[in-house]
């Protein structure tokens, strides 16, 4: 694979320029999926902040529930048309029932790269300081291929699919991300000591791509050792590139170390579309107590929406939003229960709006 930049990657991560974006910028349509449980509560928070900033975006809302058999065709068409989507959590049934709509969406839109940025926020107490990890996860194959069948009663086969094409693609994305963001190291996470063919192919692909980026340090780590190293010395990691399942586990672990899933942003990126949502597990999506008390943490989705604004080439709006969020977190007066406070979602949102400069 020749070394070539990804256009969406550069849009997604570009820093602010001297251009001043105002409400006179051409507004962009964004597909909005509020989702299940607390999803509508936190997506409403984003809408309020966008309106307060007069950000040049408007939302096309679609109701999607996790217990649907498939994502409605009009929703997929809207995302393909708008090229960008903001999404609340969708609850996935455990065991039998419908398949995950989250996985369906990634496959339908070929959102092959999941990006989760796990970093410590000033003022938020954590076990470790100076955590700044970007987990880049292959999003379309591996154990999530969904190829399962019962061979005979009581015996089930679940196939893990790894291809050179997808492995090279995600490795190149990770190194390109590191290059553009002036990151120093990429670590490939694997279990090639046991899954010698599948994870061996993933590692081979990573090594081939790494050779094209000699200025970036490249390391490899077995996934079980990686988990131990994450909770003991997370500061050693920079950019991590992983197959599908490992990435889900690593991103959630890193998020917990850095302050919790309620404050970690993320996005799912393909060649043509991008879907932004809470970076790590939206495990509280169906938490009835949080929903009843209206105390869901809106920070993760707000920071994800800042990623979205950069992707849409509105970096000054993204900077304003991130600065306001960081100010509220550092000040410490308004925090939800998961990060040591007792504020409602609305109280946090009001504080962030008040902090907008």
């Amino acid at each position: 694979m020749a070394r070539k930049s990804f256009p969406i990657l550069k849009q997604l991560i570009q820093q602010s320029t001297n251009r001043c974006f105002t409400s006179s910028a051409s507004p962009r349509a964004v597909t909005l999926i509020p989702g299940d449980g607390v999803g509508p509560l936190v997506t409403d928070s984003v809408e309020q902040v966008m309106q307060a900033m007069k950000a040049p975006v408007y939302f096309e809302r679609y109701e999607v529930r996790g217990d649907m058999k498939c994502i409605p065709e009009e929703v997929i068409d809207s995302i393909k048309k708008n090229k960008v989507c903001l999404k609340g959590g969708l609850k996935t049934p455990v065991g039998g029932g419908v398949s995950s709509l989250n996985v369906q969406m990634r496959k339908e839109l070929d959102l092959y790269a999941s990006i989760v940025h796990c970093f410590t926020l000033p003022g938020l107490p954590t076990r470790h300081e100076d955590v700044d990890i970007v987990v880049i996860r292959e999003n379309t194959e591996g154990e999530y291929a969904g190829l399962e069948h019962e061979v005979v009663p009581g015996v089930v086969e679940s196939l893990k699919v790894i291809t050179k094409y997808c492995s090279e693609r995600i490795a190149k994305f990770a190194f390109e991300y590191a290059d553009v963001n002036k990151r120093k190291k990429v670590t490939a996470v694997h279990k090639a000591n046991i899954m010698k063919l599948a994870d061996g192919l993933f590692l081979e692909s990573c090594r081939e791509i790494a050779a094209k980026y000699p200025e970036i340090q490249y390391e490899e780590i077995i996934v079980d050792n990686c988990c131990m190293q994450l909770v003991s010395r997370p500061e050693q990691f920079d950019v991590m590139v992983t197959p599908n399942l490992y990435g889900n586990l690593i991103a959630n672990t890193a998020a917990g170390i850095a302050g919790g899933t309620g404050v970690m942003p993320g996005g799912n990126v393909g060649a043509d579309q991008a879907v932004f949502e809470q970076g790590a597990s939206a495990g509280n999506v169906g938490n009835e107590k949080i929903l009843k008390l209206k105390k869901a943490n809106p920070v993760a989705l707000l920071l994800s929406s800042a990623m979205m604004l950069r992707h849409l080439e509105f970096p000054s709006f993204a900077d304003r939003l991130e600065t306001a969020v960081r100010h509220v977190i550092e000040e410490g007066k308004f925090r939800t229960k998961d990060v040591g406070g007792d504020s409602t979602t609305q109280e946090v949102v009001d504080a962030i709006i008040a902090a907008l400069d």
Side-chain angles (χ1 to χ4, degrees):
M1 295 176 68
R3 181 166 173 176
K4 181 180 179 182
S5 297
F6 290 85
I8 280 189
L9 175 66
K10 287 192 172 182
Q11 293 174 21
L12 183 61
I13 59 184
Q14 68 177 340
Q15 299 301 312
S16 294
T17 66
N18 291 326
R19 289 182 294 170
C20 179
F21 290 94
T22 67
S23 57
S24 63
S26 298
R28 286 291 304 272
V30 174
T31 303
L32 177 66
I33 300 175
D36 293 320
V38 300
L41 188 60
V42 292
T43 53
D44 177 70
S45 301
V46 174
E47 289 187 277
Q48 289 184 55
V49 174
M50 293 293 172
Q51 185 176 4
M53 289 197 301
K54 295 182 170 54
V57 298
Y58 63 94
F59 295 101
E60 296 180 359
R61 179 188 295 263
Y62 290 89
E63 298 301 326
V64 180
R65 301 184 312 277
D67 59 0
M68 291 178 169
K69 289 185 178 181
C70 63
I71 299 173
E73 186 176 346
E74 61 268 23
V75 179
I76 296 296
D77 290 343
S78 174
I79 298 173
K80 288 180 177 179
K81 173 177 66 75
N82 295 332
K83 309 295 185 185
V84 65
C85 172
L86 184 71
K87 172 180 162 296
L90 291 174
K91 189 174 182 180
T92 299
V94 176
V98 299
S99 61
S100 168
L101 295 191
N102 297 303
V103 174
Q104 283 186 31
M105 180 180 292
R106 294 168 198 158
K107 290 183 177 180
E108 179 75 22
L109 299 170
D110 195 24
L111 303 171
Y112 65 87
S114 166
I115 307 170
V116 181
H117 191 183
C118 302
F119 55 95
T120 46
L121 286 161
L124 194 62
T126 57
R127 291 180 180 270
H128 299 274
E129 297 179 356
D130 301 321
V131 176
D132 187 7
I133 301 170
V134 178
V135 181
I136 295 178
R137 162 192 175 193
E138 204 293 316
N139 228 4
T140 61
E141 57 177 18
E143 293 85 351
Y144 286 64
L147 301 174
E148 295 183 313
H149 64 279
E150 188 174 45
V151 183
V152 295
V155 179
V156 172
E157 278 188 342
S158 180
L159 302 180
K160 171 177 176 171
V161 177
I162 297 289
T163 65
K164 189 171 183 62
Y165 172 77
C166 289
S167 297
E168 284 187 341
R169 182 169 66 166
I170 197 63
K172 181 162 178 55
F173 189 97
F175 276 93
E176 192 73 7
Y177 183 102
D179 184 43
V180 172
N181 282 280
K182 303 189 185 308
R183 295 269 182 164
K184 296 179 180 179
K185 181 169 66 173
V186 172
T187 302
V189 183
H190 67 94
K191 192 64 177 173
N193 58 324
I194 302 299
M195 284 170 276
K196 298 181 184 297
L197 292 179
D199 284 24
L201 178 58
F202 177 78
L203 273 189
E204 175 189 317
S205 302
C206 288
R207 290 167 183 167
E208 290 177 0
I209 298 301
K212 302 178 189 297
Y213 295 81
E215 69 281 6
I216 297 173
Q217 183 182 354
Y218 172 64
E219 292 183 352
E220 298 170 357
I221 189 168
I222 296 173
V223 63
D224 38 354
N225 182 33
C226 179
C227 293
M228 187 273 288
Q229 295 289 338
L230 264 176
V231 298
S232 57
R233 293 197 304 117
E235 65 279 355
Q236 69 184 286
F237 296 107
D238 191 351
V239 174
M240 307 177 78
V241 60
T242 78
N244 206 334
L245 178 61
Y246 308 156
N248 190 15
L249 305 178
I250 295 300
N252 279 274
T253 303
I257 291 166
T261 59
V263 294
M264 300 300 150
N268 300 284
V269 179
D272 299 308
Q273 291 92 27
V275 175
F276 297 90
E277 59 186 330
Q278 181 171 320
S281 174
N284 63 358
V285 65
N287 190 314
E288 294 297 329
K289 183 177 180 180
I290 292 177
L291 180 59
K292 183 177 180 180
L293 296 174
K294 298 187 184 300
K295 290 188 175 182
N297 194 338
V299 169
L301 198 64
L302 284 167
L303 291 176
S304 299
S305 69
M307 291 176 66
M308 179 191 76
L309 288 168
R310 283 205 173 83
H311 171 70
L312 292 172
E313 300 186 356
F314 300 132
S316 64
F317 286 97
D319 284 348
R320 287 181 63 203
L321 176 51
E322 288 176 342
T323 299
V325 169
R326 288 173 181 271
H327 172 78
V328 171
I329 292 290
E330 187 168 12
E331 190 177 46
K333 293 181 180 178
F334 298 97
R335 294 179 183 172
T336 50
K337 187 175 182 179
D338 60 307
V339 286
D342 194 42
S343 301
T344 64
T345 306
Q346 191 60 53
E347 286 171 341
V348 175
V349 171
D350 289 342
I352 290 170
I353 290 173
L356 291 169
D357 56 17

